[in-house]
């Protein structure tokens, strides 16, 4: 897993979640939960990114998000014809 700039935002958010959990759980339990959340989010985003790379083909429509085929969006370009 490569460390990216958006990981700083993820870590900052998870630190805030950990501070909120410390009130109800001990620091050790909240740290374990936050570490699990970090790796869970990283694995989920990695799998989603890999799935998108396999299914993209020519690209993704910026309006509706569907896959572009024959240089046209099947949902958005039907109104232009």
């Amino acid at each position: 897993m490569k460390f990216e700039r958006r990981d700083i935002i993820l870590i900052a958010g998870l630190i805030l979640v950990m501070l909120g959990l410390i009130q109800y759980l001990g620091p050790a339990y909240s740290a374990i939960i936050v570490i699990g959340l970090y790796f869970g989010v990283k694995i989920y985003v990695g799998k989603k990114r890999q799935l998108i790379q396999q299914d993209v083909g020519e690209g993704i429509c910026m309006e509706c998000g569907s896959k572009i085929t024959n240089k046209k969006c099947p949902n958005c370009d039907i109104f232009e014809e």
Side-chain angles (χ1 to χ4, degrees):
M1 289 186 290
K2 190 170 81 171
F3 190 77
E4 298 176 2
R5 285 178 40 186
R6 72 184 90 172
D7 290 337
I8 295 171
I9 297 170
L10 176 63
I11 290 170
L14 288 175
I15 287 173
L16 293 175
V17 168
M18 186 172 90
L19 289 175
L21 285 175
I22 285 176
Q23 298 175 17
Y24 304 106
L25 304 171
Y29 291 121
S30 62
I32 290 169
I33 290 170
V34 166
I35 290 170
L37 283 172
Y38 176 77
F39 286 111
V41 167
K42 291 292 283 184
I43 290 170
Y44 176 77
V45 169
K47 288 188 184 266
K48 193 65 117 168
R49 186 177 290 169
Q50 184 181 22
L51 187 106
I52 288 172
Q53 288 296 328
Q54 291 174 353
D55 291 341
V56 168
E58 296 179 26
I60 296 176
C61 178
M62 295 301 289
E63 294 291 324
C64 65
S66 64
K67 186 170 78 169
I68 295 176
T69 55
N70 296 329
K71 298 183 181 179
K72 291 185 178 182
C73 174
N75 295 332
C76 300
D77 289 340
I78 59 172
F79 300 114
E80 294 177 8
E81 293 177 0

